[in-house]
Amino acid sequence: MLSNRQIADSFDLLADLLRLKDSAGYRFEVIAYQRVAEALRELPRDVRAIAAEGRLQEIDGVGKAIASKITELLDGGTMRLLEDLKAEIPQGVVDVLRVNGVGPKKAMLFYQQRGITSIAALEAAAREGKLRDLPSMGAKSEQKILEGIEALARRTTRARADVALSAAERLLRPLQTVQGVLRAEIAGSLRRGRATIGDVDLLIASHDAAPIMEAFVNHPDVVRVLGHGETKSSVELHNGLQCDLRVVPPDRFGTALSYFTGSQAHNIRLRELALQRGLSLNEWSFSATDGSGAEFLCATEEEVYARLELPYIPPELREDRGEIEAAQANALPTLLEIGDIRADLHMHTTWSDGRLSVREMAWQARERGLQYIVITDHSQSLGVANGLSVERLWAQREEIQSVQAEFGDALRIYQGVEMEIRADGSLDYEDEVLAALDVVIASLHTALRQDRATITARLLNAINNPHVDIIGHPRGQLIPDREPADLDMDAVFAAALATDTVLEINANPHRLDLDSAHARQALKLGIKLAVNTDAHSAADFDVLPFGVRTARRAWASPEQVINTWSRERFEAWRQDAD
Ligand code: DGT
Ligand code: CA
Ligand code: CA
Ligand code: ZN
């Protein structure tokens, strides 16, 4: 049975094969298929269910012809047109297209003239200088191709943070019970809270490494052992993720954890500071550079920083982006913590594409200790997500009011909406509808590949509407495969600041949008953020830590994140905003 993702992949493949066959001749088809692929990936419901309801054509970009192709795929697992094209052009040529700088013409040239049907073959040919004699090629373009292949490898081998975290936790669980294990921690980029992870780094404190190494390489999730040493092993997991484990004696755990948490840039700065103090620092210890042989061990990271006369620096800040200087000046920010979050301002219910009713979501929120929530179902033009007509919006209001009555002071439930910013830039409800809602989130879900001027103008139109309070997942990225929209973020920030519009950090690990770099820039300018789960189910509430870590990487303090505010302050802000 094909998943939405696989059907989307089929349309992308179809588009790529048509580009290869005749990129000019099929340009409209190519755009149409790519658009459908994107819509299908974004689709919150199983496309099979939508097909069963006879509503395929409500999906963005789906007309009669494409609907019948989807049906073909659902029924038979493939489609005729795709099979015909696959017989004409080897699929490996499509892979070659993924290399930056290689368009359809070049890919076909390499295929027809040099028989290249894979990235590996392309790399070999470029290295051996076998492409430079082809029309409009040269030594320089071979170099470009090699660079493109490197960049591609960097892009595609990183895992999403949630995937890496659950892999790390599954690996650590049985190791924690091995005799002699005193501490077991996640290090590396995962500990620093990055949105994507190259490999998982684990660190264990114990005097006896052998049984830990043994348990690690024999873990059921492991498919391949890449290295099995006395205190260090590397494995590959079922999902392709790599994981390194090191075991160190407990009295050296601090230097080791600091070293393997990184980042490399942060470590380099720490080493420089150590050298200024006549010490060399590595994962093992500090040692005197005067030849005295003196060694200083650190069991904790606090001791590492203390020896460098620094306060403890939280892992999320360790990127050499000013944290060393801030620490030296005793000016590290008071970072947002998960316990500071009092509210969730973005969630869906069965009124649109959520799994739970308003009442059930309210229970979930209350159980998690939230003090207020905003119900933000999709607006009318997002048909595939069952967006709310104005009439249904008012019906929902009644339901919210009755649930509110049940909860009383225990939880305040506001009515909001996640309003579509339509492809032409117009908003999905009239101003008087927006004015009647407690909170308006405006989001881009469609036509995300518009050119910079068009899509920026679209978002600015929403920001500048006085009723819009928050912009949901502003850049529209999906991790790992969808690049953010081509927005002029300077213009977006300027408008958000001028209008006191809050920008969201969507905590879902597929999004983490704003990303930490843009969020930090926004905060520097004085823009406020909201860290929201965008929950569609009970389990979705649990993505919050990913959003909080992203905010911490942006140096966010609780004050700057509006859903840490008391109900009273939040209400006052809302009223100002209207
Ligand atoms: P990743 O895996 O690409 O998401 O990023 P990291 O930061 O986890 O990098 P990784 O796994 O290569 O190494 C883990 C940490 O070990 C890294 O953050 C810093 C430290 N480290 C590794 N190699 C070096 C190095 O050559 N020099 C220094 N100073 N530190 C290193
Ligand atoms: Ca790593
Ligand atoms: Ca590593
Ligand atoms: Zn949403």
Side-chain angles (χ1 to χ4, degrees):
M1 219 160 79
L2 293 184
S3 64
N4 289 7
R5 174 67 152 271
Q6 288 167 316
I7 294 173
D9 290 346
S10 296
F11 277 101
D12 268 335
L13 180 59
L14 185 58
D16 284 336
L17 288 167
L18 285 173
R19 280 167 70 204
L20 288 166
K21 195 176 154 95
D22 178 0
S23 56
Y26 290 108
R27 72 176 179 281
F28 296 114
E29 287 88 342
V30 167
I31 291 171
Y33 295 147
Q34 286 173 339
R35 183 158 165 235
V36 168
E38 188 175 318
L40 288 171
R41 280 206 186 83
E42 264 289 74
L43 207 59
R45 299 177 57 207
D46 187 351
V47 70
R48 197 169 294 273
I50 296 172
E53 292 165 13
R55 296 172 66 188
L56 282 177
Q57 293 190 41
E58 289 174 32
I59 299 171
D60 187 37
V62 176
K64 214 170 175 179
I66 290 182
S68 88
K69 286 193 168 55
I70 295 176
T71 311
E72 227 185 310
L73 281 165
L74 286 171
D75 292 346
T78 186
M79 56 174 136
R80 179 68 186 281
L81 178 59
L82 186 58
E83 291 308 307
D84 289 350
L85 283 163
K86 284 205 287 207
E88 253 179 81
I89 303 169
Q91 272 193 69
V93 183
V94 169
D95 292 337
V96 169
L97 273 181
R98 289 160 58 220
V99 177
N100 224 333
V102 179
K105 284 220 178 76
K106 285 227 173 96
M108 285 305 272
L109 183 73
F110 299 156
Y111 166 51
Q112 286 162 342
Q113 301 292 321
R114 295 288 184 266
I116 289 170
T117 58
S118 71
I119 290 176
L122 180 68
E123 183 172 359
R127 276 199 205 293
E128 291 159 19
K130 288 183 177 157
L131 304 177
R132 60 186 63 174
D133 300 328
L134 290 169
S136 78
M137 288 290 294
K140 220 178 185 166
S141 22
E142 281 176 342
Q143 193 50 43
K144 276 249 143 55
I145 285 176
L146 289 173
E147 283 165 18
I149 291 172
E150 258 176 51
L152 182 68
R154 272 200 304 279
R155 228 176 28 241
T156 51
T157 56
R158 299 186 67 81
R160 246 182 15 236
D162 57 327
V163 173
L165 183 62
S166 71
E169 286 171 344
R170 284 173 58 88
L171 285 169
L172 277 180
R173 213 167 297 138
L175 300 183
Q176 276 157 336
T177 64
V178 174
Q179 186 122 48
V181 169
L182 297 170
R183 288 189 67 181
E185 297 279 349
I186 294 168
S189 51
L190 187 54
R191 182 165 182 240
R192 300 199 310 280
R194 283 196 59 180
T196 65
I197 308 300
D199 70 356
V200 170
D201 301 282
L202 302 176
L203 192 67
I204 288 183
S206 170
H207 291 291
D208 185 10
I212 302 165
M213 287 294 141
E214 206 51 38
F216 180 61
V217 299
N218 289 305
H219 191 285
D221 289 356
V222 169
V223 282
R224 211 185 344 243
V225 178
L226 307 168
H228 184 172
E230 270 173 40
T231 59
K232 171 180 179 337
S233 292
S234 288
V235 298
E236 188 183 319
L237 308 179
H238 284 300
N239 58 8
L241 200 58
Q242 256 194 52
C243 179
D244 296 340
L245 168 69
R246 289 151 188 106
V247 178
V248 296
D251 51 357
R252 299 181 187 272
F253 193 75
T255 37
L257 184 59
S258 158
Y259 182 87
F260 292 114
T261 296
S263 67
Q264 196 167 323
H266 179 84
N267 288 356
I268 289 169
R269 294 292 308 277
L270 295 187
R271 256 197 329 251
E272 286 169 4
L273 293 177
L275 282 174
Q276 290 165 14
R277 288 161 178 77
L279 295 168
S280 100
L281 168 62
N282 61 22
E283 63 268 40
W284 201 234
S285 64
F286 285 98
S287 51
T289 51
D290 61 6
S292 66
E295 195 185 25
F296 306 95
L297 310 190
C298 300
T300 66
E301 286 188 320
E302 281 79 0
E303 293 165 55
V304 175
Y305 286 107
R307 190 156 287 278
L308 301 172
E309 293 164 75
L310 295 175
Y312 177 79
I313 300 178
E316 293 90 342
L317 301 186
R318 300 182 195 169
E319 299 287 350
D320 189 22
R321 296 198 183 126
E323 75 279 9
I324 304 276
E325 291 73 11
Q328 284 170 328
N330 231 327
L332 285 171
T334 304
L335 290 183
L336 175 72
E337 287 177 23
I338 196 117
D340 295 323
I341 301 284
R342 296 196 215 201
D344 196 336
L345 314 179
H346 184 170
M347 68 186 66
H348 299 266
T349 71
T350 46
W351 282 91
S352 64
D353 59 350
R355 299 239 190 92
L356 302 182
S357 66
V358 171
R359 179 178 290 101
E360 288 164 325
M361 287 304 266
W363 270 113
Q364 291 297 331
R366 173 143 157 58
E367 219 151 77
R368 288 166 166 79
L370 296 179
Q371 296 172 12
Y372 55 101
I373 58 172
V374 187
I375 303 291
T376 54
D377 276 303
H378 289 289
S379 65
Q380 51 196 359
S381 78
L382 205 60
V384 294
N386 196 20
L388 269 59
S389 65
V390 175
E391 205 168 85
R392 290 179 65 223
L393 197 60
W394 299 148
Q396 185 196 46
R397 161 158 295 193
E398 281 177 27
E399 181 172 319
I400 289 176
Q401 281 166 350
S402 91
V403 175
Q404 175 66 81
E406 290 170 34
F407 277 79
D409 255 356
L411 180 78
R412 179 76 171 89
I413 310 164
Y414 298 98
Q415 186 185 29
V417 74
E418 181 175 20
M419 179 185 58
E420 286 305 296
I421 304 168
R422 294 185 198 145
D424 64 5
S426 63
L427 302 182
D428 214 13
Y429 294 123
E430 300 293 330
D431 275 2
E432 51 272 26
V433 175
L434 298 181
L437 292 163
D438 295 322
V439 175
V440 176
I441 298 179
S443 299
L444 296 164
H445 288 112
T446 59
L448 288 165
R449 297 272 77 89
Q450 287 173 335
D451 64 66
R452 172 174 282 228
T454 308
I455 197 158
T456 303
R458 224 172 126 195
L459 194 57
L460 292 185
N461 188 42
I463 293 174
N464 288 324
N465 181 295
H467 303 295
V468 169
D469 303 298
I470 299 173
I471 300 299
H473 45 75
R475 304 206 325 138
Q477 66 183 3
L478 285 183
I479 298 170
D481 26 46
R482 194 171 76 198
E483 297 288 311
D486 186 15
L487 287 160
D488 175 351
M489 289 306 290
D490 292 336
V492 169
F493 288 151
L497 186 63
T499 57
D500 193 21
T501 303
V502 169
L503 300 181
E504 177 178 80
I505 291 180
N506 191 294
N508 191 306
H510 289 85
R511 293 196 179 273
L512 295 178
D513 175 13
L514 293 177
D515 58 283
S516 62
H518 282 96
R520 185 165 179 206
Q521 204 182 337
L523 290 174
K524 274 185 184 160
L525 293 167
I527 294 165
K528 295 184 199 78
L529 302 178
V531 180
N532 294 325
T533 65
D534 196 358
H536 286 69
S537 67
D540 282 353
F541 280 109
D542 299 334
V543 303
L544 186 61
F546 295 100
V548 170
R549 282 195 281 270
T550 301
R552 288 166 66 87
R553 285 178 63 79
W555 294 49
S557 62
E559 170 68 20
Q560 295 169 309
V561 175
I562 68 168
N563 45 319
T564 67
W565 292 356
S566 70
R567 215 148 73 182
E568 295 70 27
R569 178 155 179 213
F570 176 73
E571 292 226 348
W573 167 78
R574 258 191 352 85
Q575 269 145 24
D576 279 356
D578 280 351

